[in-house]
Every structure is written in structure tokens, then in C-alpha cells.
Amino acid sequence: GVTIVLSVVSIVYSYITYKRNYNERKRLEKKLNIDISLKQYQIRARGKTSDLTVNYEGNSYKHLCEYSVSIFNNGLVAINQPKLLFAFPFDCLVIKTFDEKSSEFIHMDREVLKGIEKIEHLYEFDRLEPSDRVTIIYLVDTDKADELTCRPRGGDGVNCSYSQSGLTSQSDFAEL
């Protein structure tokens, strides 16, 4: 009798301890959401109109694209030194880069790495507090928009989720 009661009490206590520790681990989980958007500003034309271009700030581009990536800390704890690695085809022309931060206290550094087939931009953030958001926008000219990528780096223990928004492989101009 006493052995059975002690066994049941022990099992119940173990279960309660497990649930409490599990809930604490879930509460302290590091979560990062990465939202990727691609807009292509190209003119789809019929016939012999291959010389059509899009003008931006006085310059003409055949394959103007806006590649936007937002990183958002949707966990309940800060994430130290998260990194994002952007990869562009080697013949991609980076025209302009913009960034938008939810806080002026977010500090980030960018390092440009040139490989044989790709150009990479590595962003390192000092720290992302809960609810911090950073959006990095590239204005590029490339006919290989499907090769533009962005991946997190060095985020051990960080649960990343991805989403796509905006237009993908779609023209913002009417067909001629």
C-alpha cells in the first residue's frame, strides 16, 4: 500500500516538475521571424522591344528589383548577435540599400564578401530585443531575381520561421 502511494506521488511530482520546466523553456525560447519580399519592376513586352528599360534616378535598368527582408524578434527574450547572409548573383548590380529599424538603439554592421559566383553581404546585429524589427531593402538590377537569397547565420538555439509577402516574379507594369 505505502509503496503504491509513494510511486503515484512520485510520478505526479515528476510530471508536474517536467511541465513546469517545459513551460519555462518555452517561455525563454528565442524566436525570429524572417519575412522576404521581392518586387520586380520590369516591362513584359511583345515583339521586338528588348530595348525597353525602367528609369530610376536618371539611370536606365532592364531588370530593376526591390528585394526586402524583415527580421523580427517575436520571442520573449533578447537574441545576441544574430546574423543575416544575403547572396546575390555575381552579375547583380546593387543600386541602393536602405534599412528601417524599430529602435534607434539597434546597431548593425555589414561586411561584403565576394566569391566566384556570388556576392554576399553579411549583416551582424549586436542584439535584438523582444519586438525589435529591422528591414533591409536592396534595389538591384538583375535578370536572375530567383537567385537572390537571405539566410540567418550563427543563431544557435534560435527558432526561425520564414514567410513570403509582396509580389514574386510579377511585373508592376502592364503588359504592352
Side-chain angles (χ1 to χ4, degrees):
V2 174
T3 307
I4 294 174
V5 171
L6 286 176
S7 296
V8 170
V9 169
S10 178
I11 290 171
V12 169
Y13 179 75
S14 296
Y15 177 75
I16 291 170
T17 303
Y18 170 78
K19 284 302 275 181
R20 189 175 345 138
N21 288 340
Y22 176 78
N23 290 339
E24 183 67 18
R25 282 193 310 271
K26 275 304 250 187
R27 190 179 71 76
L28 297 177
E29 185 176 30
K30 296 177 182 179
K31 296 180 183 177
L32 207 53
N33 179 265
I34 299 173
D35 183 39
I36 300 172
S37 172
L38 173 66
K39 295 180 183 176
Q40 295 178 275
Y41 303 103
Q42 59 188 3
I43 298 174
R44 295 176 294 174
R46 297 182 195 136
K48 294 187 172 193
T49 55
S50 61
D51 58 341
L52 289 177
T53 59
V54 177
N55 285 324
Y56 175 75
E57 291 187 349
N59 296 310
S60 297
Y61 302 100
K62 283 192 170 280
H63 307 284
L64 189 64
C65 300
E66 177 186 293
Y67 187 62
S68 171
V69 175
S70 290
I71 182 172
F72 175 66
N73 180 355
N74 58 344
L76 296 175
V77 295
I79 300 172
N80 291 315
Q81 299 178 324
K83 299 175 186 175
L84 284 179
L85 182 66
F86 288 79
F88 305 95
F90 196 74
D91 58 351
C92 175
L93 173 64
V94 175
I95 301 163
K96 207 170 211 179
T97 307
F98 309 91
D99 63 71
E100 300 167 355
K101 302 174 192 171
S102 63
S103 168
E104 62 185 71
F105 299 108
I106 299 173
H107 180 265
M108 63 182 187
D109 292 316
R110 180 180 77 167
E111 181 181 355
V112 177
L113 311 165
K114 292 188 179 184
I116 297 171
E117 297 179 9
K118 293 199 180 278
I119 299 171
E120 296 176 328
H121 292 193
L122 180 65
Y123 284 84
E124 183 174 349
F125 305 89
D126 284 347
R127 181 178 172 101
L128 289 180
E129 296 292 338
S131 299
D132 275 355
R133 176 184 301 274
V134 177
T135 302
I136 300 169
I137 303 165
Y138 279 92
L139 193 60
V140 298
D141 186 39
T142 181
D143 60 345
K144 299 174 184 167
D146 57 327
E147 294 181 25
L148 300 173
T149 62
C150 180
R151 296 280 179 246
R153 289 287 184 259
D156 294 338
V158 178
N159 182 9
C160 287
S161 61
Y162 296 90
S163 57
Q164 296 256 349
S165 65
L167 306 174
T168 57
S169 300
Q170 186 172 345
S171 174
D172 282 358
F173 295 93
E175 199 167 306
L176 297 177

